[in-house]
Amino acid sequence: MGNRVDDLVARLTKGGSKTAQILGSLSDDQWQTALYTEPLAWTVRDLAAHFLSAEVALLRVMQDIASGGPGAPEHFNYDAFNSDEQIRLAGLPPLRLLANLADARAATVAWVSKLDESDLDRQGRHPALGDITLEFFINAIYGHQLMHMRDLQRLLA
C-alpha cells in the first residue's frame, strides 16, 4: 500500500495542472460562454472564480478539522456562499483568476504534503457532504474540480 499523503498530493497536483492547462487554452469568447443556468447562471469565467473561492475556503475548513475542529458550520449555505463569492471575484480577469487558482492549489498541496497519515482519519464537516474523513475531504476537492471540468469539456466539444 502506498503512502496516502503522497497519493493525495499527486492527485491534487495532477488535477490542478490539468485544469490550468484546459482553462489556459481558452479564447476570450470561450471564457464568456454560459456553462450553467441552475442554480446560478455561470460562465466559464465564473467557474474559474468558483474553483478559486472553493479552494481557499475548503483549505481553511480542512485546517480546522486537522486541528481538532468541527469543520464547516452546521447548515452552511453553499449556494449563498457561491453567490457572494461570484460578486466578490467579479472584477478579476481570467488570467488573474488562473494565477490565483494556481497559488491556491499550491497552498493546498503544500499543506496536504505536511500531513501525517493519521491526520487523514480525522472526521469533520464538509460544507456539502457532511461528516467525512479528511482523506475523503481531500479527494472530494479533486473530484469536485474534475466534475466541473468534465462539464466544461462537454460544452467545448
Side-chain angles (χ1 to χ4, degrees):
M1 183 169 156
N3 179 309
R4 295 185 297 157
V5 171
D6 291 345
D7 291 346
L8 291 167
V9 165
R11 178 171 280 174
L12 288 171
T13 300
K14 178 183 174 186
S17 295
K18 185 72 172 170
T19 296
Q21 175 189 9
I22 293 168
L23 292 178
S25 71
L26 299 178
S27 69
D28 289 342
D29 287 343
Q30 287 172 316
W31 278 100
Q32 299 311 315
T33 303
L35 180 60
Y36 299 116
T37 57
E38 297 291 331
L40 303 168
W42 277 6
T43 63
V44 174
R45 187 229 159 264
D46 296 331
L47 176 65
H50 171 63
F51 284 164
L52 173 59
S53 65
E55 190 83 24
V56 171
L58 292 174
L59 176 57
R60 285 194 304 262
V61 175
M62 290 189 302
Q63 289 168 331
D64 180 67
I65 293 168
S67 66
E74 280 192 69
H75 311 298
F76 180 80
N77 185 335
Y78 52 86
D79 286 333
F81 171 81
N82 287 336
S83 179
D84 291 346
E85 286 294 285
Q86 287 299 324
I87 293 166
R88 185 178 73 81
L89 297 172
L92 290 181
L95 291 179
R96 172 53 47 205
L97 286 171
L98 286 179
N100 291 359
L101 179 57
D103 291 344
R105 178 52 61 98
T108 299
V109 167
W111 181 78
V112 169
S113 71
K114 292 182 175 101
L115 291 173
D116 291 326
E117 293 277 315
S118 61
D119 292 328
L120 298 177
D121 299 321
R122 289 184 178 270
Q123 294 265 338
R125 193 175 309 107
H126 183 282
L129 302 175
D131 288 332
I132 57 176
T133 65
L134 196 52
E135 181 175 21
F136 194 92
F137 199 122
I138 296 164
N139 275 311
I141 289 173
Y142 169 79
H144 169 250
Q145 206 169 71
L146 180 64
M147 173 194 71
H148 285 305
M149 291 306 293
R150 285 182 179 153
D151 291 346
L152 175 60
Q153 287 178 305
R154 278 193 290 272
L155 175 74
L156 298 176

